Every structure is written in C-alpha cells, then in structure tokens.
Amino acid sequence: MTTAPGTVLVVEDEPSIADVLAIALRFHGFEVMVAGTVREALTLAGRTRPDVALLDVILPDGDGRALGRELRARRADLAIVFLTARDSPAEIVGALSYGDDYITKPFDIDVVVARVGAVLRRTRADDVLPQRPPLRYGDLELDETTYSVHRAGRTVELTPTEYALLRFLVRNGGQVVPKEQLLRHVWQYEHTPPESTVVETYISYLRRKLAALGPPLITTRRGVGYGLA
C-alpha cells in the first residue's frame, strides 16, 4: 500500500477554489480535509493531525493569520502556508510571521501543490534519520533530534522554516551562502522568483531572535548572500 505524502487541511471559504485545491492535492496523493471557516478548521485540526495547513487569509468568521497562530500554538510542528490576494510587502511579511510560506491569488494550482510538497519536505527532512549529535557554532547549539535551538544555554523559539534556515547556515558556518542556494535548499525552489523577499524576511526574523540572547551573529554580503560571524 502506498503511503500518502501528507495530510493537508485546506481552509478556504470559496467552494470553487476549495474544490480545485482538494482535487489537485488528492490527485498528487495527499489526504485532504476542507474547512470553510475558522471554527470548522479548529474542529478538524482538533480531531486529526494534519501535516500542513493551507489557509486563506480572509475568512468569514476571522483572520487566517490569527488562525495560523492558534494552530501553531497547538502544534509547533504544523507547517502553515497562506493563500492571500494581497501582495504588498507588509502583507507578505505579516503572513510569514506566522507561517512557512505564502502564495498569492490568483495562483497556478501546480505551484500550490509544489509549494505544499516543498514545505513538507523541509519540515520532515530528518524524520527518518537516526539520532545525531548536536550541531554547534560558537554559542549556538541545534539539536537535530528535538529540533530545539539554544544560544548561550538559553532556548530560542523558532518556526520549522526558521530552524531549517539556521541549520543550513550553521552547516555552512564561516561561508557566505548565496540567496539562490538558500532558496533551493531551504525552500526547495528550483527557479528563483525574481521578486521573492522570503530569504530577507526570514533572515530578519532570525537576527531579531538570536540578537536577543547575544551579539549579532548573521552577516550579510550585499548582493551575494548570508553567513555566520
């Protein structure tokens, strides 16, 4: 029997869009649950354990970003992808504050399926690997079994994508990693979207969280990429 690549909770109040998403995801082997409201989504998420939530930002009984925060608070390992018709930098940064990726409407259904798969691959990257010793860089320690991060002995709370980004920088410690390489290895993008600011956004999140516990750690080589001091 073939195992489904993952379970997706689709939260979309437009039935035609929800149907298209569900049909495409099921065609590619995903198990799919569909909700049209925040209340329905919370009920479904409470009864089952989806691997990723695909959330419309504007819902009839609430804000999809607030829903994303609630779902992430219930389960820290849940991957979250937002669907939004708003593409301003402020909206995108707001969505990425609580999730792992965002997709703007109107969207290409193949892109949605690919991005959902990419999020799952990076959040599950080490699920089948045996226990390994922690990764260390300076006063940073990353536990690849529990996905926890400590700096100077204090816990750093990271989302799955923030963890994946920091881990890749640590594994390449002392080197400048080009933005295109980060997009390929962390976000699984085969082709770099020319307008993408996702790397810059997540670098700023990491900088803020790490700087709260010590001196600046992430460096920028303008026009090239990022590394660790």
Side-chain angles (χ1 to χ4, degrees):
M1 180 180 295
T2 301
T3 302
T7 300
V8 183
L9 172 60
V10 174
V11 186
E12 168 61 62
D13 64 317
E14 286 289 340
S16 59
I17 297 177
D19 286 347
V20 167
L21 290 168
I23 290 168
L25 288 165
R26 286 176 181 135
F27 177 79
H28 287 274
F30 293 93
E31 294 182 9
V32 181
M33 303 178 294
V34 178
T37 65
V38 170
R39 178 175 295 183
E40 291 174 359
L42 291 173
T43 299
L44 280 174
R47 291 203 307 255
T48 61
R49 286 185 62 83
D51 299 297
V52 58
L54 186 59
L55 309 178
D56 189 10
V57 169
I58 302 174
L59 295 166
D61 60 340
D63 188 308
R65 289 165 298 188
L67 172 59
R69 288 197 299 272
E70 174 65 22
L71 292 173
R72 180 60 63 71
R74 292 184 179 190
R75 267 189 54 212
D77 63 339
L78 176 67
I80 296 174
V81 178
F82 288 106
L83 294 171
T84 175
R86 301 169 178 173
D87 59 359
S88 70
E91 289 292 334
I92 292 170
V93 169
L96 289 176
S97 298
Y98 312 118
D100 300 290
D101 206 346
Y102 71 93
I103 301 168
T104 55
K105 297 180 179 178
F107 52 75
D108 183 314
I109 192 62
D110 291 333
V111 170
V112 175
V113 173
R115 300 274 277 273
V116 168
V119 165
L120 283 176
R121 284 194 297 276
R122 67 175 178 263
T123 55
R124 289 171 159 184
D126 296 316
D127 281 355
V128 298
L129 295 177
Q131 185 171 355
R132 294 183 293 176
L135 286 175
R136 291 187 173 88
Y137 188 91
D139 60 357
L140 271 181
E141 181 178 293
L142 282 70
D143 189 318
E144 297 199 87
T145 303
T146 63
Y147 301 97
S148 59
V149 178
H150 294 83
R151 184 174 194 192
R154 298 171 65 186
T155 300
V156 185
E157 297 291 344
L158 301 181
T159 67
T161 298
E162 290 167 348
Y163 177 88
L165 175 57
L166 180 60
R167 177 176 57 187
F168 195 73
L169 290 175
V170 168
R171 285 178 172 171
N172 291 275
Q175 302 179 47
V176 175
V177 183
K179 174 181 174 180
E180 292 75 14
Q181 189 175 352
L182 290 171
L183 284 167
R184 285 197 306 273
H185 287 271
V186 178
W187 280 269
Q188 308 282 322
Y189 288 177
E190 293 184 7
H191 304 287
T192 304
E195 76 286 355
S196 176
T197 60
V198 66
V199 174
E200 291 84 348
T201 300
Y202 272 93
I203 287 289
S204 70
Y205 295 155
L206 277 179
R207 277 199 172 113
R208 185 167 61 247
K209 291 182 177 182
L210 295 174
L213 301 176
L217 184 63
I218 298 176
T219 62
T220 301
R221 180 73 61 85
R222 191 171 300 277
V224 181
Y226 303 92
L228 298 178

